[in-house]
Structure formats: C-alpha cells, structure tokens
Amino acid sequence: MQLSYLEGIPSEWQRVLVIGRTVEHNGKKYHLVGMTSGDKLQLHILEPFEKPEPPARRRKNSGNQRSRLKEHNKKSLSYLHCSEISIGGRKLKVQGGCGTPLMHADQDYRTIHLFIEMMRAGWIVPDWLREKEWDELQLVTLEIAGLKRLPKYLPQMPILIKHRPDPVRHIVEKTIALTIGKKRSFHFTDHSGEQIWCHINNVTLIDVWEDTEKQFHDPKYIKKVPPQRLAEIKENCYKALEQNCPQGMCYIGIEYECSKDFSLQFYTKEYLRSYPECHNNSVFFFLMSLKPDQDTGIHGLPLKGCVIQMPVSPDTVKIPAELFSYQEKRGEWEEQI
C-alpha cells in the first residue's frame, strides 16, 4: 500500500445522494444505498452474494466437466443487468456496471469511504443489514450514461427500474469437428423444435499472453487505472494465466452466425471429459470474450464470437468439439420501488 493510492479518494465523489430503500426478491433482500457524482454518475446497490463452491468439492458430487455444466444452477436476480432507472419520472440510461464481492473489501478503502460518506449524508443502515457479514454481500455499481449531476430526489418519489434479465440456457450437445482457419455450416434443433442453422466463419488460435500484454501497454487502459491498482491487476492476471493457460499455449476463438438470435457455447471434447481442478492459490478468475471486427457475417446474419478456454498447442489444426448449449434472450421487465 502506498499513500498515493489514498490521494484520490476524498475527491472521487463530489456529491452523494442517499436513497436507502430495501426490496425483496425470492426471499432475498437488496438495498439501494444511493448515488454518487464525480467524473461519473453512479448508483450503488448491496446484493446477496453466494461464494462459489470450490471445484475440488464439486468433483466428488458432480463428476466431470460435462456433468458440472449440466447442473441446474438457478441464478439470483442481480441489478447488474439493469438497463434503465427512472427517478421521479426522470429516465437514466445505464451504460455499464460491475459487481464486487465484499469478502475482501475490509482492505478496499474506496468502498469503506463510500459507506462512510453515505452515512455522513444521512444513510441509516437498515436493521437486517447492520449485522450482515460482508462475505454474504456484493456491491453493484451502475454507471449512468452521459450524466454527471445527481437527479432531484425525495423519499416519496417512485423509482422504476428496467431489468434486462439473464438469458435462458438450453443444452444441445451436438458433436462438431472444428478446423483452424476453415469455415463450415451445420444445423441443430432448438427447444421449440425449430431447425437452426449455424455458420462458422472462422476458427482461430488466440495467444492470450500476447493479448494481455497489449492491454497492459495500451495508454488508454493505463490512464484509467491508478498505478497501485494496475500492479495488483497485473499480478492477479498473470497468476490466473499461469494456472489456466500456460505460456506458449493458446485458446480457441470461433466466429459464427446463427439463423436465430442465440449465443452459442462450444467446448472441446477433451474439456468435457476432464475433471475440475482445484487451484489453491488462485485469486483471479480469468474469463475471455471474443468480439468480431465486423457486425455482420458472410451470410448476412449478426456475427458473434465464442472462446473455448481450453489450452491447446499452437500447432493444433483439428479440434473434436461440441456445440454444448445456447443462450436464449429474455424480454425486459420493470420493477417499481
């Protein structure tokens, strides 16, 4: 820790707005703490958090990765997927957000300072939350697009939140042979019995280490992250890379079009037969996504990407794989608080 890390904290939020409203979904409580203004306008929400079960324990109960992926894991509602918030009739578009578990936040002075500033502004911690362990909570921070000033707010004002829920997953398990640099088309039957066409436009090998190095040397990225925080991110990221994709190995990238607006998930046969590994020193979950350079593919359909996070040799050519599942979007819904 360096004192420079603390210098920007007092001026990070120019003003704070206390909301302090609790809502309940499926027996779980959520608390809208309030909003802050500064370089960004943000809404802060406390949510329940369930720590993921360690892979070593899951292995005994669930078998291999295929069995684990098939488990029905009902997700709790999260305000991280909100698209719009209306306060007293004023609509605020959500540009993005992040969810941070509070299990290690006793060392995160920005989070502590946020709660202190809210209390100074009049936030009264509800009784159900006062003795709640931080291990059971996560802080969701939503960034409001294009605004820096706090909206006018009174306790009696209605708050309307538009949710963009998680998609529904459907299992397919269709065997598909992938070849680096080759196109191919195939079809599968969806949950409604409709025949769906998938066109794979390209299969590539991704040098994850090279891509990570480029990001850490990108001036735009470096400018956004304080030096102390950047050093922590680098350390955690490289640890995760060493455990998940050793240097010299690659991930597999797939660019595809689908005749229906589905997001497809591919896995290698080898991965589905394998068992979860327990990394005792893992402090960082490494997740990758692939965004194609173009919006539309050669068949005139939206072009999408998928990364198979199974390390393979850079001389790999053919990959026995599966279209394991697809995600079906769900419609937005509104909640009045």
Side-chain angles (χ1 to χ4, degrees):
M1 170 64 70
Q2 296 176 348
L3 290 175
S4 60
Y5 179 75
L6 304 175
E7 287 178 343
I9 293 179
S11 60
E12 185 169 353
W13 305 292
Q14 295 172 0
R15 294 185 180 182
V16 298
L17 168 66
V18 173
I19 296 178
R21 295 195 190 183
T22 296
V23 294
E24 188 169 329
H25 295 280
N26 299 320
K28 297 181 179 180
K29 292 183 179 180
Y30 302 73
H31 187 74
L32 279 70
V33 180
M35 301 184 73
T36 54
S37 69
D39 293 337
K40 304 172 183 177
L41 187 64
Q42 297 177 324
L43 172 66
H44 307 277
I45 304 169
L46 285 170
E47 296 186 346
F49 174 75
E50 295 181 8
K51 190 174 180 179
E53 190 177 358
R57 191 186 306 166
R58 297 177 66 99
R59 179 173 177 176
K60 296 178 182 178
N61 301 328
S62 306
N64 60 16
Q65 294 284 14
R66 182 186 299 277
S67 300
R68 184 181 68 84
L69 289 167
K70 280 185 171 181
E71 290 178 358
H72 178 67
N73 188 13
K74 186 177 180 181
K75 294 182 179 179
S76 300
L77 176 143
S78 174
Y79 285 84
L80 189 59
H81 306 296
C82 295
S83 59
E84 185 179 276
I85 300 162
S86 297
I87 298 180
R90 185 180 182 186
K91 293 183 178 180
L92 308 173
K93 292 288 185 181
V94 177
Q95 180 173 294
C98 63
T100 306
L102 295 185
M103 61 180 67
H104 302 303
D106 55 347
Q107 300 296 320
D108 182 354
Y109 298 102
R110 278 182 167 78
T111 299
I112 294 172
H113 185 72
L114 170 66
F115 292 148
I116 291 173
E117 286 298 299
M118 285 291 172
M119 290 177 181
R120 285 176 176 170
W123 178 43
I124 299 176
V125 182
D127 290 341
W128 68 269
L129 192 56
R130 292 178 66 86
E131 306 300 327
K132 200 81 169 175
E133 293 293 337
W134 279 25
D135 285 7
E136 303 173 44
L137 298 170
Q138 76 169 349
L139 178 66
V140 167
T141 299
L142 301 178
E143 185 176 331
I144 307 302
L147 295 175
K148 293 184 180 180
R149 297 182 62 181
L150 293 169
K152 293 182 179 179
Y153 172 76
L154 296 173
Q156 65 269 25
M157 282 184 175
I159 297 177
L160 189 67
I161 297 180
K162 185 177 290 186
H163 292 263
R164 186 188 300 115
D166 286 337
V168 179
R169 188 185 67 158
H170 300 276
I171 304 295
V172 180
E173 294 183 292
K174 183 178 180 66
T175 296
I176 177 79
L178 301 175
T179 305
I180 300 300
K182 296 291 185 180
K183 304 179 181 67
R184 67 160 301 172
S185 297
F186 64 94
H187 61 81
F188 64 94
T189 303
D190 73 1
H191 62 285
S192 66
E194 183 179 347
Q195 181 175 282
I196 308 298
W197 277 94
C198 172
H199 308 286
I200 294 179
N201 289 359
N202 198 13
V203 182
T204 59
L205 294 177
I206 301 172
D207 188 332
V208 190
W209 287 81
E210 182 180 343
D211 289 354
T212 303
E213 285 289 343
K214 285 181 181 178
Q215 180 179 352
F216 286 146
H217 286 87
D218 184 348
K220 293 182 180 178
Y221 179 79
I222 295 173
K223 186 178 180 181
K224 294 179 181 179
V225 185
Q228 176 74 16
R229 179 59 181 152
L230 182 62
E232 293 174 2
I233 293 174
K234 281 185 177 181
E235 181 182 359
N236 289 333
C237 189
Y238 287 136
K239 283 182 180 179
L241 280 175
E242 289 169 2
Q243 293 176 349
N244 294 284
C245 188
Q247 198 158 12
M249 302 292 278
C250 300
Y251 281 160
I252 303 160
I254 303 171
E255 293 186 358
Y256 66 89
E257 300 171 68
C258 189
S259 60
K260 209 167 185 177
D261 189 15
F262 292 155
S263 295
L264 309 183
Q265 182 61 61
F266 297 85
Y267 293 100
T268 65
K269 291 282 191 181
E270 180 183 354
Y271 175 81
L272 293 170
R273 289 192 297 265
S274 68
Y275 288 84
E277 295 181 11
C278 182
H279 298 301
N280 293 325
N281 297 321
S282 180
V283 294
F284 193 87
F285 293 100
F286 192 79
L287 295 175
M288 278 195 69
S289 60
L290 175 64
K291 181 172 176 55
D293 294 332
Q294 299 178 347
D295 295 329
T296 305
I298 57 178
H299 295 85
L301 298 168
L303 187 58
K304 300 182 181 182
C306 170
V307 177
I308 299 180
Q309 295 191 195
M310 172 79 182
V312 296
S313 170
D315 60 359
T316 298
V317 177
K318 294 188 178 294
I319 306 131
E322 279 187 20
L323 168 59
F324 182 79
S325 62
Y326 66 87
Q327 303 272 11
E328 176 194 14
K329 289 183 178 179
R330 292 189 290 172
E332 293 186 330
W333 59 280
E334 293 183 346
E335 169 193 23
Q336 183 166 324
I337 298 175

